Amino acid sequence: MNNATAPKSVRTLIAPDKFKGSLTAGEVADALAAGLRSASGTGTGTVHCELLPLADGGDGSVDAAVASGFIRRHYTVAGPTGQHVQASIAFDGTTAVVEVANTCGLALLPDGTPEPLNASSRGFGEVILFALSLHPARIVMALGGSASTDGGMGMLTALGYSFRDADGRQLYGSGRALAQIQSIHRTALPELSDTELIVASDVHNPLRGAHGAPAVFGPQKGASPEDVTALDQALEHFITKMTEAGFADAAALALHEGAGSAGGIGYACLLLGATQVSGADYFLDLLDFNTRKDNCDIVITGEGSIDEQTLNGKLPAAVARRSGERPIIAVAGRSLLPRERWSELALTRVYTLAEYTDQDSSQDPDLSAALLRRIGKHIGTSLL
């Protein structure tokens, strides 16, 4: 009689966010899965991997939706400084996912040169128009990574709003142009009123003020202290003009949590009647995380940095909260949380790339992927 122990079979759900500056969520999942699978077949058992690249409403949201089964559709739009860029949306026949990052994001600035006063959100409006042409029931707008602080003026221009200066000249949406607005004319776009608009974002800043878009995010986009002041005053003027144009709640919406997301694009979306939801939780629902985790024994999640912001509701925290009693492993570029605080995220273990190299992997995709494969093999070995 053979009393040998039967080989183990472990089912894993690999559900990471991107490693910003290095790897997309899909690339992170692929590298971890390759490492996990390499631990199989040694006679001790097999690790089965289901991959679910995630996003929280920032850059990478379209990629995550495509990885889960949505179809990618390409469309050429105006980039943050007017140059043509190839953008894409994700569409499943009912829901369209559009994002700021691949239309008018920081990464699309020519030569990486910041344009804090001149960058525009027009391309985001153009990709929304393209999505509307597909007649979706809803459009999910992912707002992370914008290069502009124009209050969504550029986006609204693409959607049929005409902004004119004191001489009656048409203005191209930008932070600089906000202060020049003297009149606003809006053309009805029936498709907008027939489509549910959802803003997926975990940014809680108002449009302006000490915690507003210019003050908090402007410096990240190259804005000097003088630029921050000018942009804040320009947005105040914008609110006044939108009120005069018939938006009775323009001032109240500027104070709304999330109005300051993506340089104020969040504000323009609220003006259009969009509903704001938690980006992390919305995308977990959209990508059917709950069903997928129910079919696995262990969940592996992660992002570029595990830190205090993670505790405040970023994607790995949302994944951990929904994973129930099963073990949860996090993989990150670095972790600023000491081991005694892992329990605050219900994490069984945290692996970091920094533990495996003395080099900076944050801008090195090849090194990051190689390290993730090593970590994946270590995880797989520990499971079998």
Side-chain angles (χ1 to χ4, degrees), residues 20-243:
K20 195 166 187 176
S22 177
L23 298 173
T24 67
E27 291 167 340
V28 172
D30 287 340
L32 284 170
L36 282 157
R37 289 170 180 142
S38 70
S40 301
T42 60
T44 56
T46 303
V47 180
H48 301 278
C49 302
E50 180 173 359
L51 279 57
L52 184 63
L54 295 174
D56 61 1
D59 49 324
S61 296
V62 167
D63 289 340
V66 169
S68 75
F70 282 57
I71 303 300
R72 187 186 301 275
R73 300 288 297 267
H74 295 281
Y75 190 67
T76 300
V77 303
T81 55
Q83 79 282 20
H84 287 172
V85 300
Q86 182 84 331
S88 64
I89 72 169
F91 186 52
D92 70 350
T94 301
T95 300
V97 179
V98 299
E99 69 176 52
V100 167
N102 74 23
T103 54
C104 52
L106 279 166
L108 300 176
L109 287 166
D111 301 320
T113 304
E115 290 285 355
L117 297 177
N118 297 321
S120 175
S121 61
R122 184 182 182 97
F124 188 58
E126 291 174 346
V127 87
I128 291 172
L129 271 181
F130 171 62
L132 287 170
S133 73
L134 303 176
H135 307 293
R138 72 188 58 83
I139 297 177
V140 180
M141 299 178 284
L143 301 190
S146 73
S148 62
T149 308
D150 70 352
M153 176 186 176
M155 180 193 86
L156 293 172
T157 299
L159 294 175
Y161 287 73
S162 174
F163 299 91
R164 298 187 180 275
D165 65 14
D167 296 321
R169 291 174 298 198
Q170 178 80 35
L171 294 169
Y172 190 92
S174 69
R176 188 186 303 277
L178 287 169
Q180 302 170 30
I181 298 172
Q182 288 301 315
S183 64
I184 301 171
H185 175 74
R186 47 180 170 162
T187 301
L189 196 62
E191 296 89 345
L192 273 176
S193 58
D194 294 337
T195 307
E196 181 184 11
L197 302 177
I198 297 172
V199 172
S201 173
D202 290 309
V203 171
H204 302 295
N205 303 73
L207 180 61
R208 52 177 304 273
H211 302 289
V216 176
F217 304 112
Q220 301 171 16
K221 304 174 186 184
S224 67
E226 294 76 18
D227 292 337
V228 167
T229 299
L231 287 166
D232 198 70
Q233 292 173 349
L235 286 170
E236 183 176 23
H237 177 73
F238 184 47
I239 295 166
T240 298
K241 290 300 178 183
M242 293 303 285
T243 303

